Amino acid sequence: CTALCPSVAKFVGMNRKGVKDGRGWSWYYPAVQEYATCIRAEKWVEVGAAWGALAKHMLQHATIEAGGPIAEYHIVDPFLGGYDEKDPMSRQFRLALANQSYSYEDISIAWAQNIGWALGGGGEAAAGCRLRVHRETSVSGARLFADKSVDAVFIDGLHTYEGVKEDIIAWAPKVREGGSLIFNDYANQLWFAGIKRAVDEEAARRGSWPPWLDHGSGPLTGYHASLVTYTTRDALPTRV
């Protein structure tokens, strides 16, 4: 990683700064922070961290040191490219690979190391041991957590119908009673219609779900990122 890490660190860091400077997604970060505070989320999981921009914001503003509730912030992401040619983030991993004689696996390791270092101890967030980076897929990462041990899971991984169905099955049992699953890009029907389809199907199947906290017409509305959350009373079955 000697030659690769500085190159990937520059690429990831530049894009993380770009997001925070207003290019893209950062407009909804304060609302996510506020939601974490409202539900008193001590143990937070982010599935699919991309550049680490949301994680940076949350670690700066929502941890115990910042006056927020979060004691543990877990990132679950394999940081692997080529998973979906229709997904813009998948193409970013290819750009990181361009003109370098490395594999996607090499990029994955360097990417995870950059996020762990930059946000954990490198000065961007200095979260220390509050940040845990798990270089795992969503489903395999969920196995690392005990049932009903997590306060909230921010799901922003695979944006396909099948991927979101797997996320629901894997993560719903991990959320405590009264905790939340949060689905990013729920309202983005143009690019990611499968997200809404998977979530709505499960909501219909479980007619007893508590009321939805739908931010589609509120402060989280947007073309690229709108969130929908539900609060769980009990774990979902292992099959949808």
Side-chain angles (χ1 to χ4, degrees):
C1 195
T2 302
L4 179 61
C5 281
S7 173
V8 172
K10 181 178 179 181
F11 180 73
V12 177
M14 175 186 67
N15 282 282
R16 183 164 55 241
K17 184 178 186 300
V19 170
K20 192 61 181 174
D21 286 347
R23 296 199 305 271
W25 311 319
S26 64
W27 56 270
Y28 68 83
Y29 293 176
V32 178
Q33 173 195 338
E34 181 181 358
Y35 185 74
T37 301
C38 286
I39 66 168
R40 298 185 294 278
E42 296 180 8
K43 190 170 184 177
W44 183 279
V45 177
E46 180 181 356
V47 176
W51 314 111
L54 173 61
K56 178 179 177 179
H57 177 92
M58 296 292 281
L59 291 167
Q60 286 178 331
H61 301 287
T63 60
I64 291 172
E65 288 77 11
I70 294 178
E72 296 180 26
Y73 195 102
H74 295 263
I75 289 174
V76 176
D77 196 322
F79 301 105
L80 280 173
Y83 56 85
D84 184 357
E85 289 304 311
K86 297 180 181 179
D87 191 310
M89 195 63 215
S90 180
R91 295 195 291 270
Q92 294 298 321
F93 286 100
R94 180 185 293 173
L95 291 176
L97 192 66
N99 301 319
Q100 301 189 75
S101 56
Y102 296 98
S103 66
Y104 277 130
E105 179 69 11
D106 295 327
I107 296 292
S108 168
I109 293 170
W111 199 297
Q113 287 180 347
N114 170 259
I115 287 180
W117 178 83
L119 304 186
E124 288 190 48
C129 62
R130 299 222 181 276
L131 173 64
R132 326 282 173 86
V133 179
H134 309 277
R135 198 170 63 89
E136 302 274 353
T137 65
S138 176
V139 173
S140 64
R143 300 189 187 109
L144 302 174
F145 297 83
D147 287 356
K148 298 187 178 182
S149 67
V150 177
D151 294 298
V153 184
F154 184 92
I155 297 176
D156 194 16
L158 289 176
H159 280 42
T160 63
Y161 168 73
E162 294 79 10
V164 176
K165 284 184 67 173
E166 290 184 351
D167 287 338
I168 293 172
I169 293 170
W171 285 104
K174 308 303 177 181
V175 176
R176 65 164 171 83
E177 183 177 350
S180 297
L181 294 182
I182 306 167
F183 298 89
N184 195 25
D185 288 316
Y186 169 83
N188 191 337
Q189 289 290 296
L190 181 60
W191 286 359
F192 306 122
I195 297 175
K196 187 176 187 300
R197 178 187 167 198
V199 174
D200 286 357
E201 280 185 4
E202 185 60 15
R205 190 187 72 81
R206 286 178 56 86
S208 61
W209 272 18
W212 288 69
L213 303 174
D214 187 349
H215 299 282
S217 59
L220 299 182
T221 297
Y223 180 67
H224 291 294
S226 56
L227 312 183
V228 69
T229 71
Y230 72 80
T231 304
T232 59
R233 286 202 188 100
D234 50 74
L236 297 180
T238 56
R239 298 285 179 185
V240 172

